[in-house]
Every structure is written in C-alpha cells, then in structure tokens.
Amino acid sequence: MEPCYLKYITLCLNLALSISAVTSLPNSPKTKTPLKTCNFPAIFNFGDSNSDTGGLSAAFGQAPYPNGETFFHSPAGRFSDGRLIIDFIAQGLGLPYLSPYLDSVGSNFSHGANFATAGSTVRPQNTTMSQSGYSPISLDVQFVQYSDFCRRSSVFRKRGGVSEKLLPMDYYFSKALYTFDIGQNDLSSGFKQNMTFDQVKAYIPDVLRQFSNVIKGGRSFWVHNTGPLGCLPYTLDRFPIMAAQIDNHGCATPFNDVARFFNRRLKEAVVQLRKDLPMAAMTYVDIFSVKHSLITQAKKLGFENPLLACCGHGGKYNYDKNRKCGSKVTVNGKEIMVAKSCKVPSVRINWDGVHYTEAANKWVYDQIINGSYSDPPIPMKMACRVMDH
C-alpha cells in the first residue's frame, strides 16, 4: 500500500495504471456492452455543515434537539431534522451512514469516514470559533486527519481484533468515492467582516487555489458547488439588503451572484485538476441549480414557505441569530424551548435558517444521482469513469 504522506496527500492511490486504463475505457461501439457500476467500497467526505454527520458535535457539543427529530428521533450530530445529502449518497451506494472521524463513541469506519465539520472553510480563518462561529477544522486540517487515518488504519488492521472490523481495508482507499461540499462559509465569512461583494469575489481565487492544493492524487472525486446563499433566511435576516436587491422569489440577488461567481471558478479549478490528474475521475455537481429550482418552484414541488426556517424563533424568516434552533430560556427556574420545530418539516425546505430539511435533502439527492446536474453527465455510480472532455 502506498504510504499516506502528511505533506503531500495522495489519497492512498495504489491502482495499477493498467487497471485504471481498462476501467476508464468507453464502451466499444461494436460490443455495446453497458458500463458496469463502480461498486465503491467506501466514502471519504470533506466539507462543512452541509455534510457534517457529527464532527462538530463530537468536538464542541451535540447539536441540540429538535435536530434529528424526523429520522433519528434524537440529536445525531446533523444540523437538520434528519438525513443529509451525504447520508442519501451512502445509502444509494449500499454503504452505511458515515461516522464522523472525530467521534470516538460508537463509530464504525469500515466503509469510510467523514472529516467534515460544521463551520469549516477551505481557507483557515484568523479567528477563534467563539469569535466567528467558524470551525478551526478547515479543509487542510481535514486532509491532515485523513492522511493520519489512512496510515494508521493499515497499521491497526494488521494487529487484528476489533480494529480489523472497524477500519477500512487497505485497497478501499484507492477504490473509494471522495466527496466534497465546502466553500459556503468562505463566502459568508467575508460578508460577516463587512466586506463588499467585490472584495469577497477578489479572494475567491485564493480559496480555490487552496482547495486544489490539497488534492494531490486519488481516483474518484465528487465535488459539489455551493448553494444559493441569497435564498437562506440567515442571509436575508442578518445582512443589510435593499428592496431593489430582492428578486421575484424573495432571494437576495447580490449574494446569489457571488455564489455563482464562486461556482464558475470552482468548475474551472476542477477542469484544471482533470488536466493535472489525468488518471482521476473528477465530477463537478451543480448543487446551486438544484437548490435554486427547489426554492423557486417550491409550491409546484409540494413544499411550503421556502424562505421560512422550520426551526427557529421570530422575525420575518423565523430566524434569530441569538436564538437558533433548539435554543432555550429559563423562566422561573424552568427551561423552556423557544426555537422549536415547525409541525410538518416534510413540507418545508429550510430547517434552521442555514441548513435544509431531510425532505429537501432527499429531493436534491434524487435530482443529482443520475448525472443530470453533473459534469461530466454521468450517474454517481459511474463516477469512477475517466471521461473524455
């Protein structure tokens, strides 16, 4: 097994070039043999709260109830009433839900690990979590954690015992699907520092340079772009927005424009990575378009109040940054929850002002799974194929 270098992350690539070449060949027009699915044995995920299955909760305290109420029926480390897109991806590949790397209780890493934490950014932040709310576990730290996990998994599996059952086989690292959903907080951090839209756009190339720098090898990558920031109750409530900046759907146009700008540059970075890593399969997924369609066509799709947080307290958008989902107050010595869940989360899109409900996450997953919003346009189960561009 190729060693997991800490400085230059190789993602444990150990496939022979001959095998890689064969698996990436398109169908012969003579045989018409359908391509086989990739049969990913594991997933290694990197990201922020959009795909955090419990990393931040393990490090800094559990996301409070009613988070998790719909599917898990109790807090489960996710900032949602239930499952996230990454959970549906794992389920769709026939794999168990990913255990967070930072969680030492009840975790099983036999089919992958989740290095994402809520509040994570690509670029390390120059503030503490208590000051800004952003996680100290930025993307570069997540890759350091991955590198150490890769190296030590091989060592401990050889010792046998329980480690052999709870850690991935060596060859899983080269055959796994590597998923990314990060960048949203890099944009919002600039707005929280009162930067202009142009100032935020100006540092995006550096964000994407750092994103590209951590990807030094590997086989199959599934990269989500960022969603419509201007349609989040968090954005609409927190930042000064003029009436002329609100579109027909109630979203803040300038914030969505910055997200689109980021996504265009991210796609360019993925295209360059394909050139730099010709044996890697790089799939870029347009999450923005899917989520934007969901929000702007909510009623048609069976959802209600797309810009209203399901779990929150007060205000136009049922969002208060000082009383987030699950917040309690003490009255006469008794704790009372003031930021409660709505009655029917299954017909709502936004969960807590920032994140999506399980129903919305499932709808998004259903749209992206067949490759309709991917570049190249291939189903997720084929994401190990190196396609011509």
Side-chain angles (χ1 to χ4, degrees):
M1 191 65 190
E2 188 172 311
C4 307
Y5 293 110
L6 205 59
K7 186 175 181 181
Y8 299 104
I9 302 300
T10 64
L11 300 184
C12 297
L13 178 62
N14 196 34
L15 288 179
L17 292 179
S18 58
I19 297 177
S20 296
V22 170
T23 58
S24 62
L25 285 174
N27 288 333
S28 168
K30 295 180 180 179
T31 61
K32 301 289 184 180
T33 303
L35 286 172
K36 293 182 179 179
T37 57
C38 299
N39 295 321
F40 296 112
I43 300 171
F44 295 101
N45 182 68
F46 306 85
D48 52 31
S49 56
N50 288 306
S51 60
D52 180 5
T53 56
L56 192 80
S57 290
F60 297 101
Q62 188 66 243
Y65 190 84
N67 285 291
E69 66 173 4
T70 296
F71 182 79
F72 301 100
H73 308 300
S74 65
R78 294 154 174 82
F79 290 89
S80 176
D81 62 310
R83 290 166 290 182
L84 310 179
I85 295 173
I86 189 64
D87 291 312
F88 292 113
I89 287 176
Q91 182 176 306
L93 294 177
L95 300 174
Y97 300 135
L98 293 181
S99 293
Y101 169 77
L102 294 176
D103 196 348
S104 60
V105 180
S107 290
N108 185 331
F109 302 114
S110 59
H111 291 279
N114 193 350
F115 300 90
T117 64
S120 286
T121 54
V122 175
R123 294 200 310 177
Q125 298 296 297
N126 293 322
T127 59
T128 65
M129 186 170 176
S130 61
Q131 291 172 324
S132 66
Y134 293 111
S135 170
I137 306 169
S138 49
L139 184 60
D140 58 330
V141 177
Q142 292 180 31
F143 268 90
V144 169
Q145 292 173 337
Y146 164 82
S147 178
D148 192 53
F149 175 80
C150 178
R151 178 182 58 82
R152 297 178 70 208
S153 291
S154 180
V155 172
F156 279 87
R157 271 190 59 84
K158 291 175 182 177
R159 296 180 183 178
V162 67
S163 294
E164 193 171 6
K165 297 180 180 179
L166 298 180
L167 294 172
M169 295 178 145
D170 285 356
Y171 81 91
Y172 281 12
F173 289 94
S174 60
K175 300 282 286 184
L177 180 66
Y178 289 82
T179 54
F180 294 81
D181 194 328
I182 194 166
Q184 179 174 312
N185 293 321
D186 289 275
L187 305 183
S188 64
S189 66
F191 298 132
K192 288 175 71 173
Q193 296 174 56
N194 297 317
M195 290 186 180
T196 65
F197 297 112
D198 286 339
Q199 287 174 325
V200 173
K201 287 181 179 179
Y203 68 67
I204 286 175
D206 183 57
V207 172
L208 296 176
R209 179 186 60 80
Q210 295 194 37
F211 172 83
S212 297
N213 282 347
V214 300
I215 302 180
K216 297 296 182 184
R219 185 68 182 85
S220 305
F221 298 89
W222 183 264
V223 182
H224 289 183
N225 68 12
T226 200
L229 297 181
C231 299
L232 297 177
Y234 161 84
T235 301
L236 295 166
D237 176 83
R238 177 157 188 159
F239 301 109
I241 302 168
M242 295 183 292
Q245 295 175 316
I246 299 296
D247 66 18
N248 294 334
H249 304 288
C251 300
T253 300
F255 291 89
N256 280 348
D257 287 345
V258 171
R260 288 187 177 98
F261 179 85
F262 174 87
N263 292 338
R264 287 196 297 271
R265 297 297 179 266
L266 174 61
K267 189 172 184 178
E268 291 171 2
V270 170
V271 169
Q272 184 59 49
L273 284 168
R274 290 190 186 119
K275 297 176 182 177
D276 297 340
L277 304 169
M279 299 310 299
M282 295 273 180
T283 305
Y284 169 90
V285 187
D286 187 7
I287 292 292
F288 182 102
S289 292
V290 182
K291 288 183 174 179
H292 192 261
S293 294
L294 173 60
I295 292 167
T296 58
Q297 301 177 45
K299 187 175 181 180
K300 177 182 177 181
L301 297 170
F303 290 89
E304 303 172 356
N305 303 314
L307 303 182
L308 197 67
C310 170
C311 185
H313 177 78
K316 182 178 180 180
Y317 303 101
N318 195 37
Y319 175 82
D320 182 341
K321 67 178 182 179
N322 297 313
R323 291 184 174 179
K324 297 179 181 180
C325 181
S327 292
K328 299 177 180 179
V329 296
T330 302
V331 179
N332 298 324
K334 183 179 180 180
E335 278 193 335
I336 299 175
M337 184 181 294
V338 293
K340 302 178 181 179
S341 170
C342 58
K343 291 184 178 179
V344 189
S346 62
V347 297
R348 300 291 283 276
I349 293 173
N350 192 281
W351 169 241
D352 59 3
V354 179
H355 310 99
Y356 289 70
T357 61
E358 174 177 290
N361 286 327
K362 178 62 164 60
W363 189 88
V364 172
Y365 166 79
D366 286 341
Q367 311 314 304
I368 66 174
I369 191 65
N370 65 359
S372 296
Y373 290 86
S374 297
D375 176 33
I378 56 174
M380 187 181 68
K381 290 184 178 181
M382 301 288 187
C384 64
R385 309 298 172 190
V386 180
M387 309 295 287
D388 293 329
H389 293 273

